[in-house]
Amino acid sequence: SAVISQKPSRDICQRGTSLTIQCQVDSQVTMMFWYRQQPGQSLTLIATANQGSEATYESGFVIDKFPISRPNLTFSTLTVSNMSPEDSSIYLCSVEDETGSSYEQYFGPGTRLTVT
Amino acid sequence: RKEVEQDPGPFNVPEGATVAFNCTYSNSASQSFFWYRQDCRKEPKLLMSVYSSGNEDGRFTAQLNRASQYISLLIRDSKLSDSATYLCVVTGNTGKLIFGQGTTLQVKP
């Protein structure tokens, strides 16, 4: 499976500021995703990062709050804008395995964000 | 109703025990099914895909019942290292993954 890294691994930010999270994959992948995992909760898909076009957002998530870039097939960024304490969460990127026929996904180590 | 439902547990079992987790899903059109494992403060890792015929990987057996929209995971001869949260995952429309809230397993010596 692909090796995925994320930066930063954790951060503590003040409300009203923005943080950009980077996701790097060691091979070219078509499908990349961004998830959020709030404390004590399971994963929720934020958006699909599309290479060369705008990201596809899930219900409840908007581009102004979570702008996403996907400049090539190995890299993506997620920005959490105008942060509030409710944005404190783990943010994970994932990629879809392109060697099989199912939708198996593999996750980066996550970025632990605390907003004060 | 949640799209994927799991008993959150925790399940506390002694080493060597057999433990089973269940999961139900609401979308009859779901095509792919998985069990992921998530250790504390770590990312989820794919444990196994679940096939209609059922599949086994060492001490782990997964079963799928499409008619009942039900998935199970059986762990035999539990090890201390099996302690984790087990996430039931199904595909929704367009292949997106939908995660259950997870079942926590604690294996005691």
Side-chain angles (χ1 to χ4, degrees), chain A residues 22-79:
Chain A
Q22 299 179 8
C23 178
Q24 180 74 53
V25 190
D26 70 342
S27 58
Q28 293 187 339
V29 293
T30 304
M31 303 298 288
M32 287 182 76
F33 307 90
W34 286 99
Y35 288 83
R36 179 174 75 182
Q37 187 171 28
Q38 293 179 302
Q41 304 295 315
S42 193
L43 282 76
T44 300
L45 180 63
I46 297 171
T48 303
N50 301 309
Q51 196 267 329
S53 64
E54 197 170 279
T56 305
Y57 289 85
E58 297 301 306
S59 175
F61 298 96
V62 295
I63 188 171
D64 290 346
K65 176 66 177 176
F66 297 102
I68 288 170
S69 78
R70 179 88 192 270
N72 56 53
L73 293 177
T74 63
F75 186 78
S76 178
T77 67
L78 168 76
T79 298

